[in-house]
Structure formats: C-alpha cells, structure tokens
Amino acid sequence: QVTLKESGPALVKATQTLTLTCTFSGFSLTTYGMRVTWIRQPPGKALEWLARIDWDGDKFYSTSLKTRLTISKDTSKNQVVLTMTNMDPVDTGTYYCARMGHGWELDPWGQGTLVIVSS
Amino acid sequence: QSALTQPRSVSGSPGQSVTISCTGTSSDVGAYNFVSWYQQHPGKAPKLMIYDVTKRPSGVPDRFSGSKSGNTASLSISGLQAEDEADYFCYSHSGTYIVLFGGGTKLTVL
C-alpha cells in the first residue's frame, strides 16, 4: 500500500522560509519512473502544481515560483523535502505531496498540511 | 500557462446523470491523452477518479466515466448518489514537465 504524509510548521511568518517534508512508504524513489510532486491549495481555491522530483534526480518547478522553490530527496529515509523562501500571506494554504508513477496522474495523495503565513 | 476551465458548479438529483467539462487548448487537453480527474470532499485530500482521459482506477465505481473531444475533456457521473457531492478537479499534461489544474467544480446532489 502506497502512502504519503506531509509534515512541517503550521504557522510561519512573512519573509521566512518554509520547509515541508513528505514521508512516503510502499514505493521507492530509486525505482525507474517514480516521481513525487508537491501541490498546494489556497483556502477555497484551486489546486496549484509546485514542483516535482524524479527517480533519477531530475527536478522541475512551477515557472511562477521557480526562484523561491527547492525540492530534494533522501532515498534512505523515503522523504522528499520542499523549501519555499520569502513566504507571504498569499502562500497560505494546504500543501500536498503526491506520487506520480509511470503515467501523468497523481495517485495517491498525502492528507495535506495546512500552512498559515502571518504578516 | 493558464488553468483549465471548469464550470464553478453543477447539480443533479439522486439517480440522475451529470457531466463536468474541462476546457483547455490545443497545447494541453487537445494535445495529449493525459487528462485525469480528482474528487475532493471537504477537508480531505483529492482522490484519483479517472486517468488517461477514460481509465478508471480499481475501486472507482463504473458510474464515473471520462471522455474527450478536441480541447474539452468531460467527467460523467451516472446514477448520482449523495456521496458523490464533492469538488471535482481536472488536470492535464501540457508539454515537457508542465501540468495544469482546472479551477474546480462543486457538485451538489439535490
């Protein structure tokens, strides 16, 4: 059974750096074709794709947030870490990680973690 | 890239059928058969319902089906049930590593 779970601070201040960890089980990020993606959802709004890291170490970022995001993986711990610098109240929302296998679909998703950015 | 366009809301009575559209462009929905649909109940994580336009993951009822015509993909739900009331998001590959989400549609079961 594949599961993912996000963890990180629930509250950060504006201008601070956010660090989120996605801990997963049931698959390995060293397996060909496996990928982990981060997505966020502001309250009451649509989903937004943020970043992706692949089994071979390739990294991809949202063009609008590229300068603020860094994604990395620790295959020994089955973790993917996302950092976002210079946080702003508009970054408030629920942050999800999800697995992307050989196809383009996201399945499954973690439960999400709510991050509130205070000014 | 702009988000995919979905109606903000749709509704139907139990037992009826509804269809949710997802309109993109010839660079995303129209170009690739990599459209997927996600169901999200309040406070819950999204759940994959349809992938690769028409495929249904195991465990998803066959009341849910997907299709595509040109730049518009659609999710159809037949035999509506109260538990189907949720938000639905579409998602499409858009070249290289780019993916796009739709704005979401709230389904109300009357």
Side-chain angles (χ1 to χ4, degrees), chain A residues 35-36 52-61 71 73:
Chain A
R35 297 164 283 180
V36 172
R52 188 186 101 200
I53 190 164
D54 293 357
W55 80 99
D56 59 0
D58 279 350
K59 303 171 185 179
F60 305 91
Y61 298 100
I71 192 170
K73 63 185 172 88

Side-chain angles (χ1 to χ4, degrees), chain B residues 84-95:
Chain B
D84 299 333
E85 184 163 297
D87 291 327
Y88 291 85
F89 292 91
C90 62
Y91 161 98
S92 175
H93 175 49
S94 181

Side-chain angles (χ1 to χ4, degrees), chain A residues 32-88:
Chain A
Y32 174 84
M34 290 297 111
R35 297 164 283 180
V36 172
T37 295
W38 283 95
I39 307 104
R40 72 177 178 180
Q41 186 175 35
K45 296 188 177 180
L47 298 160
E48 179 183 15
W49 180 83
L50 299 177
R52 188 186 101 200
I53 190 164
D54 293 357
W55 80 99
D56 59 0
D58 279 350
K59 303 171 185 179
F60 305 91
Y61 298 100
S62 162
T63 53
S64 62
L65 293 168
K66 185 174 185 175
T67 60
R68 299 174 53 206
L69 295 174
T70 302
I71 192 170
S72 62
K73 63 185 172 88
D74 185 333
T75 52
S76 66
K77 294 182 178 179
N78 279 352
Q79 291 181 334
V80 171
V81 175
L82 181 75
T83 62
M84 181 180 290
T85 61
N86 195 24
M87 293 292 286
D88 184 273

Side-chain angles (χ1 to χ4, degrees), chain B:
Chain B
Q1 284 80 6
S2 301
L4 307 174
T5 300
Q6 297 180 234
R8 294 195 66 126
S9 64
V10 297
S11 62
S13 300
Q16 289 187 332
S17 298
V18 296
T19 297
I20 301 171
S21 62
C22 171
T23 302
T25 70
S26 57
S27 298
D28 39 68
V29 173
Y32 306 97
N33 287 324
F34 296 130
V35 175
S36 50
W37 290 89
Y38 301 86
Q39 177 192 64
Q40 186 178 33
H41 287 108
K44 301 295 186 181
K47 174 188 175 184
L48 177 68
M49 304 301 285
I50 295 288
Y51 68 100
D52 291 354
V53 180
T54 62
K55 298 176 182 177
R56 209 171 36 248
S58 61
V60 173
D62 59 6
R63 302 184 295 103
F64 291 83
S65 62
S67 62
K68 189 182 83 167
S69 177
N71 298 336
T72 298
S74 298
L75 172 70
S76 296
I77 309 171
S78 62
L80 268 179
Q81 299 181 3
E83 68 216 46
D84 299 333
E85 184 163 297
D87 291 327
Y88 291 85
F89 292 91
C90 62
Y91 161 98
S92 175
H93 175 49
S94 181
T96 59
Y97 65 91
I98 303 295
V99 293
L100 299 173
F101 283 101
T105 299
K106 180 177 179 59
L107 169 62
T108 301
V109 180
L110 302 170

Side-chain angles (χ1 to χ4, degrees), chain A residues 8-30:
Chain A
L11 183 65
V12 298
K13 295 182 179 178
T15 74
Q16 287 185 334
T17 294
L18 171 69
T19 299
L20 296 174
T21 300
C22 174
T23 302
F24 57 87
S25 64
F27 70 100
S28 172
L29 248 187
T30 62

